[in-house]
Amino acid sequence: MRVTVCELPHEAEALGKAWAALCAHASRARSELVVLPELPFAPALWLEDAFDEAKWRAAEAAHERWLARLPELGAGSVIGTRPRTVGDGHSNEGFLWSAGEGLTPLRSKHYLPDEAEAWEARWFTAGDREFPAYAAGTLRFGLNICTELWALESYGGYRAANVDAVVAPRATAGATTDKWLAIGTVGAVSAGAYCLSSNRVEPDGSCGGVGWIIDPDGALLATTNADMPFATVEIDLAKARAASRTYPRYVFARPGSQPRDPRA
């Protein structure tokens, strides 16, 4: 399966240019799956320490407009997150878009930081703590949204479900890239799966780009940067599915469940 990760700005003019370039790259690379950053189509609301209803609504509207353009990528599937109001709650909700089924909601972010530069708990309602396995065509995947890459308990479940990939939309600072790459590697090796992550990029460095593709044995197959903001790799699903029988995964093996198709 050919998968694409990226780094994207959110400012209107810069995003428009980056989007056109991403569409051209995905088409040229024959991407089957594109992973987008965390909440890619609006300003970083969580930098402010107080919830603002008008700014929330504007972020929702911006995402609705851009989500309608996902077919432009030409990929069979797209995974990312969006702001979504559900009842009285405000979710950072994962989504799967597919050419055949359209947009399908996935789990919402559960682990929410609450500190300077990351007031997420003041903007979002915590989602379900469970980390199920999903299916996107032939790909089995789990969704860990940014901070949730540190949810080490999720990897045992993914290993049991024999997922092919841990997908991680991010909004992380450039100064902390090394530690995020480290946990991405831990997640890949522990789950016995590829780790696919895309990141926002901001001029002030509050989000520092660097998307990555890491294989089940921890090898860094590709990263993005300012000069090459998109990367596509053909991943071997058979390698991921065999990984649970190799060290260190088999040491912790236990009976698992089948991945859940989010459209079911």
Side-chain angles (χ1 to χ4, degrees):
M1 170 175 274
R2 297 185 66 78
V3 300
T4 295
V5 297
C6 64
E7 52 186 75
L8 289 177
H10 80 269
E11 303 92 340
E13 183 177 355
L15 176 58
K17 293 178 180 178
W19 183 259
L22 176 58
C23 291
H25 171 92
S27 175
R28 185 170 58 253
R30 295 175 285 110
S31 301
E32 297 170 79
L33 168 68
V34 175
V35 177
L36 297 178
E38 183 177 18
L39 302 173
F41 303 125
L45 301 173
W46 53 89
L47 296 180
E48 299 185 18
D49 63 2
F51 181 83
D52 185 305
E53 183 71 27
K55 291 180 179 179
W56 175 265
R57 295 296 181 187
E60 279 190 308
H63 277 76
E64 286 301 312
R65 291 192 299 272
W66 280 98
L67 291 175
R69 298 180 61 175
L70 294 181
E72 296 174 12
L73 291 168
S77 299
V78 182
I79 297 170
T81 82
R82 60 174 174 168
R84 189 180 183 201
T85 302
V86 181
D88 295 329
H90 302 92
S91 297
N92 182 353
E93 182 186 78
F95 68 81
L96 166 67
W97 177 89
S98 66
E101 301 291 336
L103 199 71
T104 301
L106 305 177
R107 61 179 299 276
S108 294
K109 191 173 184 178
H110 174 78
Y111 291 104
L112 302 170
D114 190 30
E115 59 181 72
E117 306 297 323
W119 300 111
E120 294 183 38
R122 306 186 184 193
W123 282 90
F124 306 109
T125 305
D128 196 332
R129 192 171 179 171
E130 297 300 313
F131 288 85
Y134 298 104
T138 58
L139 180 80
R140 309 168 185 175
F141 71 96
L143 179 69
N144 292 55
I145 303 169
C146 198
T147 296
E148 295 179 331
L149 275 169
W150 299 93
L152 301 182
E153 72 275 13
S154 67
Y155 301 132
Y158 293 154
R159 185 171 60 244
N162 209 15
V163 301
D164 305 312
V166 177
V167 179
R170 295 172 16 254
T172 64
T176 62
T177 296
D178 286 349
K179 74 176 182 181
W180 288 100
L181 272 169
I183 193 60
T185 303
V186 168
V189 174
S190 182
Y194 291 89
C195 186
L196 315 176
S197 186
S198 294
N199 195 17
R200 294 167 59 107
V201 61
E202 308 286 356
D204 63 2
S206 59
C207 293
V210 185
W212 69 63
I213 300 171
I214 302 170
D215 86 357
D217 289 320
L220 184 60
L221 303 182
T223 59
T224 69
N225 56 50
D227 294 326
M228 295 183 292
F230 322 122
T232 298
V233 169
E234 184 157 2
I235 63 173
D236 183 354
L237 302 188
K239 178 175 182 176
R241 291 170 189 178
S244 63
R245 300 190 295 274
T246 63
Y247 184 85
R249 276 78 54 163
Y250 75 85
V251 177
F252 303 95
R254 59 182 175 83
S257 59
Q258 294 300 311
R260 176 161 60 89
D261 187 329
R263 298 161 295 191

